[in-house]
Amino acid sequence: MPQRLMLLDTASLYFRAFYGLPDTIRRPDGTPVNAVRGLLDMIARLSTDYQASHLVACWDDDWRPKWRVDLVPTYKAHRVARAVPGGTDIEVVPEGLEAQLPMIRRVLELAGIAIVGAAEHEADDVVGTYASQASLPVDVVTGDRDLFQVCDDAREVRVIYTARGMKNLEVIMEETVVAKYKVLPQQYADYATLRGDASDGLPGVAGIGEKTAASLLLKYGTLERLLEAAEADDGGVSGPVRAKLSAAGAYLEAAPAVVRLVRDLKLPTLEEAGALLQPVTGDRRSELEQLAIDWNLGGSVRRLLTALDQRA
């Protein structure tokens, strides 16, 4: 099998699994297991359909890093359940899903699925680092448009986009980003900064929407060059646009670092992380099969084991 790395935006997937399957699927003690089942089925299908040889479940060690909040205080503010001064704020997570997160980690560990996070960083940054540094083709699985910025045809990095559901997966490549947004993947972070993103609490520049943001980047290439042109008398930026950019000056100075993925984290190598997919054997397989019974995981564990057995 040719080598291919799959990077999971894990939270994106287990949230989708939780809302996509009824929470009436429960363990004998009443704890829901719909997210566990759904995630395992996703991994079994995705790793098989896209022929992954290596897989990393990228994890949010810090879903709302303080350094990003310091730059843009509204960043993900609408998703905070409880602020933790000096620590990681508590995210709004349904109680039924919260109870499943330890189960998800345990089952992935037993299945030999690498779980990698980074202190003070989001899973997106883990994805960005591995995708930027990998020496083999990469598939990034996510429902988050921010990760479109990793698409790179020359390096065979693409996104498997889940926003329309597992039955309607979309493979995002450079030409897809251009067709959808009229910008290149390497311009996507600047584009998102300009137009804003309510789902992440990014206000954007008032009065500049998707079309204007795309047209400005088409003309000037980068946000930095656009701002330089807006300050020059002969830069060609219209008066109204200059006024809008000026009014958003503080935001535009801070937001690019928030939106852009970190691509240089010190992470374990794929070998160190145990990213190579392999059959599950011995005590780990026995424990996983027993948990499938004890936790009412149905055929999800069996399907994952079958998918991994194919890597023999």
Side-chain angles (χ1 to χ4, degrees):
M1 177 186 293
Q3 292 200 327
R4 189 169 199 97
L5 170 62
M6 177 166 284
L7 301 171
L8 305 182
D9 177 9
T10 315
S12 170
L13 299 185
Y14 63 59
F15 267 96
R16 176 165 294 280
F18 178 77
Y19 288 111
L21 293 173
D23 64 3
T24 53
I25 304 173
R26 296 175 177 261
R27 290 189 335 196
D29 67 0
T31 305
V33 292
N34 54 334
V36 186
R37 280 195 183 193
L39 180 62
L40 297 184
D41 281 335
M42 288 178 186
I43 294 174
R45 175 188 163 186
L46 289 162
S47 62
T48 300
D49 289 356
Y50 295 97
Q51 298 185 310
S53 60
H54 297 70
L55 187 146
V56 177
C58 302
W59 204 266
D60 279 324
D61 275 13
D62 190 338
W63 71 279
R64 189 177 183 248
K66 183 178 183 299
W67 62 268
R68 280 191 164 111
V69 177
D70 287 344
L71 290 168
V72 179
T74 58
Y75 182 65
K76 296 186 177 179
H78 59 296
R79 289 160 54 182
V80 175
R82 180 168 59 87
V84 179
T88 302
D89 291 337
I90 306 302
E91 184 179 12
V92 176
V93 177
E95 183 178 348
L97 175 56
E98 185 75 36
Q100 296 183 65
L101 298 185
M103 288 189 281
I104 287 172
R105 288 195 68 109
R106 183 57 183 156
V107 170
L108 293 183
E109 288 165 356
L110 287 172
I113 303 296
I115 301 172
V116 179
E120 300 179 355
H121 287 84
E122 300 170 57
D124 285 7
D125 300 314
V126 178
V127 170
T129 297
Y130 276 128
S132 300
Q133 299 180 8
S135 60
L136 56 159
V138 179
D139 285 329
V140 174
V141 184
T142 184
D144 185 352
R145 294 182 299 173
D146 287 343
L147 286 169
F148 290 175
Q149 58 191 285
V150 303
C151 292
D152 186 336
D153 289 358
R155 296 187 58 254
E156 296 187 75
V157 179
R158 60 188 187 178
V159 169
I160 310 302
Y161 192 45
T162 64
R164 295 190 298 168
M166 292 298 293
K167 294 182 179 179
N168 296 288
L169 296 173
E170 186 175 7
V171 177
I172 306 294
M173 302 171 69
E174 287 186 13
E175 64 179 1
T176 323
V177 177
V178 172
K180 282 177 173 287
Y181 304 105
K182 306 300 186 285
V183 296
L184 294 167
Q186 56 265 37
Q187 296 174 306
Y188 190 85
D190 286 348
Y191 167 78
T193 297
L194 285 167
R195 67 121 208 261
D197 189 340
S199 67
D200 279 339
L202 297 170
V205 178
I208 293 184
E210 294 188 354
K211 290 184 179 179
T212 302
S215 65
L216 290 170
L217 290 171
L218 176 64
K219 183 175 181 179
Y220 295 100
T222 66
L223 176 58
E224 182 179 3
R225 290 176 186 167
L226 167 62
L227 295 177
E228 289 174 353
E231 293 179 358
D233 293 335
D234 58 351
V237 181
S238 70
V241 170
R242 290 172 68 178
K244 292 169 185 174
L245 295 174
S246 178
Y251 163 78
L252 289 173
E253 183 177 350
V258 175
V259 179
R260 291 184 193 128
L261 302 174
V262 177
R263 297 173 184 254
D264 58 356
L265 292 174
K266 292 183 179 180
L267 300 175
T269 65
L270 296 181
E271 183 178 3
E272 290 168 343
L276 180 66
L277 294 175
Q278 303 180 74
V280 182
T281 59
D283 291 343
R284 288 194 297 116
R285 189 179 187 108
S286 298
E287 184 174 347
L288 197 50
E289 291 174 335
Q290 187 59 49
L291 286 181
I293 298 170
D294 295 344
W295 290 356
N296 186 31
L297 299 181
S300 299
V301 165
R302 183 184 68 252
R303 286 185 285 273
L304 178 61
L305 289 173
T306 299
L308 295 174
D309 286 343
Q310 296 172 5
R311 302 311 191 274

